[in-house]
Amino acid sequence: MILNTLEWGAGDRTAVLIHGMMGDSRSWWEIGPVLAERGYRVIAVDLPGHGRSPRHPDGDLESFAAAVLQSVTAGPALAMGHSLGGSVLAAAVSRLRPERAVYVETPFGPGRVHLDAAAFAAELEEARAARTVENLRRDRSWWSEQDVAVEAEAAKLFDVATTVSLHAGRVGGPDNTPPLVAPSLVIRADPSRYISQEAGETMRARGFEVRSVAGAGHSVWYGMHTEFMAALDGWA
């Protein structure tokens, strides 16, 4: 599957950006141009069932990773994935072979013991319906208007069946912690619902650098662009 992509810059180094669940390539609207100014050709993908990429209602984590590998050139200087995008990057990293890898608010560990597909689909449908401009303005008051507009529009394009299939494939699955094929950084919010301090210490003990952004939300850079770029210092 060839994914839709959004690009910034034309530098001689490549950065690959992979968004999180219910987002799309435009989630990087503020990060992409900054990396381009630093000399990167930035390629942000729309994952299957997100943005303007095809639906994939029988997909799994491996097929998501394969789609990324088919859509970008291997060996980028930087690969960065957020949440779900970090899990996809973890599955692809040994073949993508980035010089540096960054995982943002990505929980690693074994797959779920049980997934009720119908209940999960209903949960996603409810979350998608609630992701309106009005609700995002109210619930994420620190986000910019562009953050709100991008995420509300991405929710309209989000395919629930694709994500249900993806997660059903991970029920009882193996630990998805990525191999250290390149220097790897974990960026977490502090506090984080997805990466506890203890989980961060575990990642650090396994050879990852771990940095936290105090007061950030799950989409760490939204409303905290300066702090997020500071957490990337030396990596991008």
Side-chain angles (χ1 to χ4, degrees):
M1 177 187 295
I2 301 300
L3 301 175
N4 183 64
T5 59
L6 179 61
E7 297 193 20
W8 297 270
D12 56 6
R13 298 179 296 164
T14 301
V16 173
L17 307 181
I18 311 175
H19 64 82
M21 186 190 302
M22 213 174 293
D24 63 29
S25 55
R26 294 168 297 174
S27 299
W28 305 103
W29 72 269
E30 197 169 15
I31 305 300
V34 172
L35 295 179
E37 289 174 0
R38 297 183 179 187
Y40 289 92
R41 175 192 173 207
V42 183
I43 305 172
V45 301
D46 286 345
L47 288 172
H50 295 75
R52 303 197 180 282
S53 286
R55 299 171 63 252
H56 194 13
D58 57 353
D60 58 16
L61 190 60
E62 172 54 31
S63 64
F64 272 51
V68 170
L69 292 164
Q70 290 169 17
S71 304
V72 304
T73 302
L78 173 69
M80 181 158 55
H82 170 237
S83 194
L84 168 61
S87 294
V88 175
L89 174 58
V93 70
S94 295
R95 290 163 288 175
L96 185 61
R97 303 188 309 278
E99 294 176 17
R100 297 177 304 285
V102 179
Y103 302 92
V104 183
E105 276 280 288
T106 304
F108 292 118
R112 299 188 190 193
V113 175
H114 175 71
L115 175 68
D116 183 320
F120 186 43
E123 177 185 326
L124 291 175
E125 289 284 8
E126 182 178 357
R128 180 177 65 173
R131 209 168 177 83
T132 64
V133 167
E134 294 74 20
N135 287 347
L136 290 172
R137 280 177 180 157
R138 181 194 66 215
D139 298 336
R140 294 167 175 82
S141 59
W142 65 95
W143 285 14
S144 73
E145 280 297 304
Q146 183 68 6
D147 298 335
V148 167
V150 161
E151 291 300 310
E153 183 61 28
K156 296 176 184 177
L157 300 174
F158 171 67
D159 180 60
V160 167
T162 297
T163 295
V164 170
S165 177
L166 168 70
H167 284 266
R170 283 205 63 220
V171 171
D175 187 336
N176 68 332
T177 303
L180 281 172
V181 298
S184 300
L185 170 67
V186 172
I187 297 179
R188 59 182 291 274
D190 185 19
S192 172
R193 292 176 52 203
Y194 296 87
I195 306 175
S196 66
Q197 288 187 354
E198 292 78 11
E201 289 303 321
T202 297
M203 296 297 289
R204 188 174 285 114
R206 296 178 74 164
F208 294 80
E209 183 164 351
V210 180
R211 298 179 179 178
S212 301
V213 178
H218 183 50
S219 296
V220 179
W221 59 96
Y222 279 177
M224 302 199 73
H225 174 77
T226 300
E227 294 85 350
F228 181 77
M229 295 309 299
L232 272 179
D233 185 43
W235 288 80

